[in-house]
Amino acid sequence: MKVNSSDIKKIIQRYHNKKGILISLLQDIQDTYGYVPAESVELMSRELSIYPVDIYGILTFYAQFRLSPRGRHIIKVCQGTACHVMGGKEILDYLSDKLGISEGETTEDGMFSLERVACLGCCGMAPVVVIDNNFYGRCTIQRIDKLLDNYRLERLNK
């Protein structure tokens, strides 16, 4: 999605002359773009007289904020105790190698983002992988390959 400065200015105007608005403002911008573009930080800094370093301090402190676009499909690999023992680490490493990205990154084609999560609360189904909002339990490398193929095919069929 292309960043439109007039859209960002409209979002900023909703918060103008209010105190304690930075987190809410950043959330609104992220809801619009899927991440917080650098252009929006520059605009916020100018419009609200907040130093960019202060804005980036909030963006990098809270895990909810992203500074780059996420993929069309978000892959979360559970690393809780049960999943870890049952092969979650190996699945995370395999996905990282197969997709050519590290955790927290997005593939060049924008198709997948890879995330490590502490626990998904599905210990009886370990190891668990979530793609978008779909839970896949008792995952294996072979199953991961099939899932990735299905998500790629889904894109081609749309």
Side-chain angles (χ1 to χ4, degrees):
M1 172 183 277
K2 191 173 187 302
V3 176
N4 184 329
S5 61
S6 64
D7 289 342
I8 294 172
K9 285 183 180 181
K10 287 178 189 172
I11 295 170
I12 293 170
Q13 283 304 314
R14 292 194 304 238
Y15 292 95
H16 210 55
N17 295 324
K18 295 181 182 175
K19 293 186 184 268
I21 50 88
L22 192 53
I23 291 175
S24 297
L25 173 57
L26 292 168
Q27 288 170 331
D28 282 356
I29 289 172
Q30 183 163 284
D31 286 346
T32 301
Y33 292 99
Y35 71 109
V36 179
E39 298 94 322
S40 67
V41 174
E42 294 167 22
L43 276 170
M44 282 186 277
S45 176
R46 282 195 307 268
E47 297 283 323
L48 301 173
S49 300
I50 300 172
Y51 291 113
V53 70
D54 293 332
I55 298 169
Y56 280 110
I58 297 294
L59 288 170
T60 57
F61 180 79
Y62 291 104
Q64 68 176 301
F65 294 116
R66 293 174 296 283
L67 295 170
S68 60
R70 293 172 90 190
R72 170 181 270 164
H73 301 289
I74 311 303
I75 302 172
K76 298 177 184 177
V77 183
C78 185
Q79 298 298 293
T81 303
C83 288
H84 183 78
V85 168
M86 297 299 289
K89 173 77 167 97
E90 289 78 11
I91 289 173
L92 181 64
D93 291 344
Y94 178 77
L95 280 164
S96 180
D97 289 343
K98 179 150 182 102
L99 297 173
I101 58 175
S102 298
E103 61 186 76
E105 294 181 342
T106 299
T107 56
E108 283 187 31
D109 64 2
M111 186 69 150
F112 298 106
S113 290
L114 182 61
E115 297 179 0
R116 164 196 305 257
V117 293
C119 183
L120 291 166
C122 313
C123 302
M125 297 174 21
V128 177
V129 173
V130 175
I131 302 178
D132 301 332
N133 291 318
N134 302 309
F135 283 70
Y136 301 98
R138 295 181 183 78
C139 281
T140 62
I141 301 289
Q142 295 79 14
R143 186 164 187 209
I144 291 296
D145 282 335
K146 288 178 185 171
L147 288 170
L148 291 177
D149 289 344
N150 288 341
Y151 278 91
R152 284 189 179 110
L153 283 173
E154 177 186 299
R155 178 181 180 208
L156 295 174
N157 293 330
K158 284 187 176 181

